[in-house]
Amino acid sequence: LKAFERRLTEYIHCLQPATGRWRMLLIVVSVCTATGAWNWLIDPETQKVSFFTSLWNHPFFTISCITLIGLFFAGIHKRVVAPSIIAARCRTVLAEYNMSCDDTGKLILKPRPH
């Protein structure tokens, strides 16, 4: 059990830096998309021209929106929550052995049912 716990905590700990970078990238692209959308919506020319011309006139919004959509198609939503997915799957398996684990991978032994 100690070896399994050590390996699980090590694995989750190793995922944290990559997860932090993916979260930061997602935040930056989301803020850029929101800022671009705000500028796109408050532009008085947006209502007067066609949709595609409006997007052509606002390349910052268009590029950031395409980047955000591309990141979601690439699976950034899974990479952002990868450690919690691993912990949840481990909890499911460990429940059969009357155990659980926290989000860092530490094992939690539950009392035996009588």
Side-chain angles (χ1 to χ4, degrees), residues 54-75:
S54 173
L55 289 177
W56 185 259
N57 291 339
H58 296 276
F60 180 73
F61 169 68
T62 307
I63 292 169
S64 61
C65 191
I66 290 170
T67 303
L68 185 64
I69 292 168
L71 285 173
F72 274 103
F73 277 127

Side-chain angles (χ1 to χ4, degrees), residues 22-97:
W22 284 114
R23 284 181 183 157
M24 191 59 65
L25 178 66
L26 182 62
I27 289 169
V28 167
V29 172
S30 297
V31 167
C32 288
T33 303
T35 304
W38 177 255
N39 290 332
W40 181 58
L41 291 173
I42 64 169
D43 184 14
E45 291 295 316
T46 299
Q47 298 175 3
K48 299 175 185 172
V49 296
S50 71
F51 177 71
F52 291 110
T53 306
S54 173
L55 289 177
W56 185 259
N57 291 339
H58 296 276
F60 180 73
F61 169 68
T62 307
I63 292 169
S64 61
C65 191
I66 290 170
T67 303
L68 185 64
I69 292 168
L71 285 173
F72 274 103
F73 277 127
I76 194 170
H77 55 288
K78 291 179 185 174
R79 290 182 175 106
V80 165
V81 294
S84 60
I85 291 172
I86 300 293
R89 289 179 182 170
C90 284
R91 281 187 206 104
T92 304
V93 172
L94 290 170
E96 295 183 24
Y97 299 102

Side-chain angles (χ1 to χ4, degrees), residues 2 8 13 20 29 37-38 45 76 106 110 113:
K2 285 292 186 188
L8 183 60
H13 181 72
V29 172
W38 177 255
E45 291 295 316
I76 194 170
K106 298 282 185 189
K110 296 181 180 178

